[in-house]
Structure formats: structure tokens, C-alpha cells
Amino acid sequence: MIKTKRNQFGDYMIAFICLLLIFACLLPMVNILARSLSSSEALIRNQVTLWPKGINLEAYRLVLNDSKYTWSLAWTAFLTVICAIFSMFMTTLCAYPLTYENLKGRRFFNGLILITMYFNAGTIPTYLLLKDLGMLNKPVVLIVPYCLSVFNMIIMRSFFYGIPESLRESAEMDGAGPVRVLVSIYLPLSKPVIATLALFYAVGRWNGFSDALMYMNDRTYFPIQLLLYNILKSISSIEIATQEGFATNPGLTETLQAATVVFATVPILLVYPWLQKYFITGATLGSIKG
Amino acid sequence: MQTAVASSFMEKHQKTIKYLKKYWTLYLMLLLPIAYFIIFKYIPMTYIQIAFKKYSIVQSPWQMPWADNNGMEYFIKAFSNRDFIYALRNTLWLNVLDLVVGFPAPIILALLLNELTFKRFKRFTQTVVYMPHFLSWIIISGMALKLLAPGTGLVNIVIERLGFASVPFLNDPTHWRWTYVFLGIWKSVGWNTNMLRAFRANIDPQLYEAAAMDGAGRWRSMWHITLPGIRSTIITLLILSLGHILGSEFDRPYSLTNALVISASNVISTFIYTNGIRGLQFSLTTAVGLFQSVICVIFLFAANALAKKFGERGIW
């Protein structure tokens, strides 16, 4: 590309704007991390900005000793893995048969699935159905009702379309059935899209809040976001704060809240490099189908 | 004659058998996903009739008695409910702000990133600005509560040191609306540029070279090459946004709200939650949900038709 016509000053201006954006994205996270590591006195005196004052790991010790919180972290991690596996299973089962051009009823199935993208029954009908099915307050309600995303299914289907049909045809010549073609040709070639979508589902479950709020009253099965919400909102009402087992010392409550936010964020940041590596493919494929 | 018909029928039949023998496993695979869609997406649609009926906990939706006023009782009730009117107004208000302020943001950022010449710095910028998309609204609201708190939040400390009065970002209805929109941009602006970038890749780099040869500067090549190149994606995203003009997220307003700003933050989704699942007024809230879904579908069709009228591809 010819660059002579472009002025250097403009390039640096743009870089500077981007630098500001990077700062705007990182600042809240750095601030919350600094808060979680600071002493409660420094917090009350508003001395904490981007660097922790009076380093203290008390909040982390308390959070890790809080059985309810650690249990919720472990439970949500378990739930996330189960959800990702189950959702990928369902998504593959749905996407693969629809790639067969000559499958009878393919248009009907496609239509049946696509309609749900544009029209859904609504919050209350879904809630009442789950109630009638007896799924409310059972762990299964956090796994099954949203296990299959039409959008992710379309991404997977587009990826399958990209695999040369000649590969499938030659396997079929050798007498392989659809299942065998899927397992020995399509799945091994689809590792990037499988990784991307599994991570999407996993992040969705880890971040999932409203389904738990609406369908789950049993505190044992509260996922981390719901517990975190209760902890964060407890600042306005002391009675819930003590109910959640946290101290009444305002400075300590502050660091504790910051520490709980950090704990819920860290898993996302840990998988982010992988996400980042793969999601570009995912989003690209998604937008091809529009 | 008859035998010919019979044999052709047999032939057809055999073809079907052969077809099924080859492909029955595909239907078996589809069984679970289709059952999922029917059970969790289509059966709830039969529950929509609750909007026109008197809800009763012991009866199935089919058996419940019709509501008064030819079944329209709960729609009348909804529109004479002050909270619902506010929720409707707030939903529209916030979505229009999101559309006007939030929609151009990723386009501007995409153009900016496109002009960024330092390759490694560009990659780093992308990595950082995509990240907030993967944080939940609960985490973001937790951070925002600390960062924007009047008196103790970092942003307000800075504002006060600069000699201005502290801003009640999340504690005053007007400020809350803008904070809501800004946090939405903060979360999704990077991610949305990713969608545009995919299409940007389709633009022929030779076009830029030719433009540079002809003496086109940064702005001209942006205006004449990059923007037309990503136009169809912009239109698609615009159609989808318009389709959601009366749709409402739940996590975002619900996690950011508090008692002081309820007059601005109560939207349709939170109205349905508080009055339906918490308040047990199932008929009323089903009616409200149905109204919302229908308006969304109408807007989606209208926006799509409009886009096609202007010669765009549309979303179907």
C-alpha cells in the first residue's frame, strides 16, 4: 500500500485516540483490582485510584473462606462445563443434518428454527411452561431451556458448508453413512468453530444471570452472577448484607465487594486469550450468513 | 396401463425406502434439536392465550375462562397502568438513545482502527476493546457502582479535583439514562467493530492504492471506499436495531437500577419480571409481553421492507 500521501501527524492522532480508548477499557478493571487489594482505611479516605494503598489480602482470605461463595464458584464452573458440552452436542446435531442439500423437509426444519429467532413466546409463557414441566428450582433449569442458540447453530452450519462436498462424496462412495462422515471428516475439520462456539456457550453460562433470577429460588444452586448481584446490592440494605454473611464494617464491605467482582471476572480473563484467537473466525462466519 | 402405474408407484416407493435407508440417521439426529425447539419455543406460544384469559393456577391455558371485554381486559388494564406507560416510555427512550448515540460508535471506531497504521498496536487495541463484551452486566454494574459513586468513585474524585461539582451518574434519572447508554457503548463497541471488520476484509486493497495514486487523502478514501464497502453490514445491523426498538434487555437495566432512578430505569422487561414472576399477575404481563413481541416483529418487517425499497439486500 502506498503511504506517501498519508500524513504522519494524522497517524499519531489516531494512535493517541486509541490509547485513550484502551485506557477507558482498562481503567475500571484496574481500579476494582486496586480496591480489592487495599486496606479498608485507605478506601474510606478515598486514597485508592489505580494502585492499591496499604496492601492487604484480608478480603481475598475472607472471600475464599466464605463457603457459600467458593461453593458457588465451583458449582458455576461445573455448570459451565456441562452446559458447554451439552450445548455443543445439541448444536452439532442440529447443524449437521441441515447441511445435506437433498434432505427432505430441510426447508421446513430451517423455517421452524429460524422463526424462533424473530418471534418468541415471551418471559411469562416460558416461565409457566417450565413451571408446568416441574423444572423450576432444579439444576436442570439452568442447563436445558437455553441450550441451543440459533445464532451459534447458523455459524456452525456455515462452517460445515465450507467443507468441500467432494470429501463427503468420496467417503459415501466408500460406504460411510452420515454419522461416520460427521465423526471422521466434519468434526476433525471443524475444531476452530467447535472451540469458538463452546467458549461462547461457556461464557454465556458463566455470565448468565436472569434465568437463575427467574427460575431458581434454591440458594444452593445460585450461580455466581446471582450471588454477586446479591452481594453488590447488599450495600443499600444491611439486613441482606448480614444475611450474605459479610461484615458490617463499611470499609471491609467495600474491599470484599471488590474482591468478589475480581473473582467472578478472573475466569473470563483467563479464557480470553483463547476466545480472542478464535472469535474472529466465529464472528466472520456469522456475518457471512447475515 | 394399471401395471405401469403400479410399477411406477413401486419404483417411487423403493426410492423412498432407499432414501430413508441412507439418511434415516440424519432424521434421528434432528430429533433432539427439533424436540427442543417444539418444547421450549413453540409450546410456550400456546401459553400466550393467557393474555386473553383469566389466569388460574389449576387449569391448563386451554381451559381457562376468557377475560372480560372480549378477552381484551388485560390489554386495557396494561394501558391504564401508570407503571406500564412509564415502562413503555422508558424502553423507547433508552432504545432511541442507544440507536442515535450507540449505533454510530462502532462504525467510527472501525474507521479509526482501519486507519491505524501501527500493526502491533492495532492488534493490542483490538484485544483490549473487545474484552468488555465478555463481562456480564452484573460485573460491569459492580465496577460502575464503585467507579462512578458520588464522593468515593474515582471518576468523581477526578471531577472534584478539577474543581467541578460531583456528578450523580447513577443516582439521578437524567444522568442515569446517559450512563446507561455510555456503559452499553463501553461494553459492546469493540465487539461490534468485529462484525464490520469481517466485511471490511472484502474490500479490494488495490482500490486504496488507486485512490492514493489519484491523490485521495485519508478522508476521501474513507468516504469513497471504506464506507461503501461496509454499507450493507451497517444496513443489516440497523435493521436489527430497529427491530428491537421496543425490545428490552433485562440484565442491563436490572443490574444498573436503584431506588432513586426507578422512574427512568423501569422498562418493559423489568416490568414483566416484577409484576409477573414476582407479582404473579400472569395474564397482565403475558399481554404486555405479547404486545412487545408483536411490535418488534412489525418493526423488523417494516425496517427490512424499507431497506429493500432503497435497493439493499435486507436480512432475508
Side-chain angles (χ1 to χ4, degrees), chain A residues 63-289:
Chain A
V63 168
L64 286 177
N65 279 335
D66 183 87
S67 60
K68 231 187 277 170
Y69 194 81
T70 46
W71 157 252
S72 181
L73 275 176
W75 160 243
T76 315
F78 172 73
L79 201 61
T80 300
V81 172
I82 297 290
C83 270
I85 294 170
F86 183 62
S87 292
M88 279 321 292
F89 175 70
M90 290 291 278
T91 308
T92 314
L93 282 190
C94 189
Y96 177 68
L98 295 176
T99 54
Y100 277 75
E101 301 278 349
N102 51 355
L103 183 79
K104 290 205 169 70
R106 177 165 162 266
R107 276 177 64 89
F108 169 75
F109 293 132
N110 269 332
L112 191 82
I113 292 165
L114 282 182
I115 286 172
T116 64
M117 241 177 135
Y118 300 111
F119 185 82
N120 69 56
T123 313
I124 299 299
T126 309
Y127 173 80
L128 291 174
L129 171 85
L130 294 175
K131 200 172 118 189
D132 284 358
L133 289 175
M135 286 170 87
L136 292 185
N137 300 328
K138 303 216 175 81
V140 68
V141 87
L142 300 176
I143 302 170
V144 175
Y146 298 100
C147 68
L148 184 45
S149 139
V150 179
F151 187 75
N152 289 350
M153 191 280 284
I154 291 173
I155 292 178
M156 188 155 201
R157 205 181 55 184
S158 321
F159 195 91
F160 283 163
Y161 276 132
I163 294 171
E165 209 149 317
S166 55
L167 280 178
R168 185 214 286 169
E169 278 161 10
S170 66
E172 278 176 354
M173 292 275 220
D174 295 342
V179 180
R180 200 174 163 93
V181 173
L182 173 68
V183 174
S184 55
I185 296 175
Y186 276 66
L187 290 185
L189 286 174
S190 308
K191 274 180 197 148
V193 80
I194 291 172
T196 315
L197 296 183
L199 279 171
F200 278 179
Y201 279 123
V203 171
R205 181 61 271 168
W206 183 269
N207 286 340
F209 166 72
S210 55
D211 57 343
L213 179 74
M214 290 174 190
Y215 311 144
M216 182 58 76
N217 280 325
D218 186 343
R219 304 181 79 87
T220 334
Y221 299 123
F222 272 12
I224 193 68
Q225 303 293 337
L226 185 51
L227 190 70
L228 185 62
Y229 176 82
N230 289 342
I231 292 170
L232 290 172
K233 290 288 158 171
S234 67
I235 196 163
S236 47
S237 53
I238 294 295
E239 48 179 353
I240 304 171
T242 45
Q243 201 186 323
E244 290 298 353
F246 280 155
T248 41
N249 171 355
L252 189 61
T253 313
E254 283 277 309
T255 48
L256 274 173
Q257 287 182 333
T260 49
V261 170
V262 170
F263 269 105
T265 316
V266 161
I268 296 286
L269 296 185
L270 285 181
V271 298
Y272 185 67
W274 281 276
L275 265 174
Q276 213 251 342
K277 188 176 157 202
Y278 285 123
F279 64 55
I280 292 167
T281 20
T284 311
L285 287 162
S287 51
I288 284 167
K289 268 291 173 183

Side-chain angles (χ1 to χ4, degrees), chain B residues 90-108:
Chain B
N90 289 336
T91 309
L92 265 175
W93 211 166
L94 293 174
N95 285 341
V96 167
L97 280 183
D98 258 349
L99 193 66
V100 174
V101 186
F103 188 77
I107 299 171
I108 294 168

Side-chain angles (χ1 to χ4, degrees), chain B residues 29 111 135 199 223 250 279 299 314:
Chain B
M29 278 186 216
L111 293 176
L135 301 178
F199 264 75
W223 187 256
F250 180 81
F299 263 87

Side-chain angles (χ1 to χ4, degrees), chain A residues 22-38:
Chain A
I22 290 172
F23 190 66
C25 283
L26 289 181
L27 181 129
M29 288 175 228
V30 175
N31 180 248
I32 205 93
L33 193 67
R35 277 173 167 270
S36 72
L37 288 167
S38 297

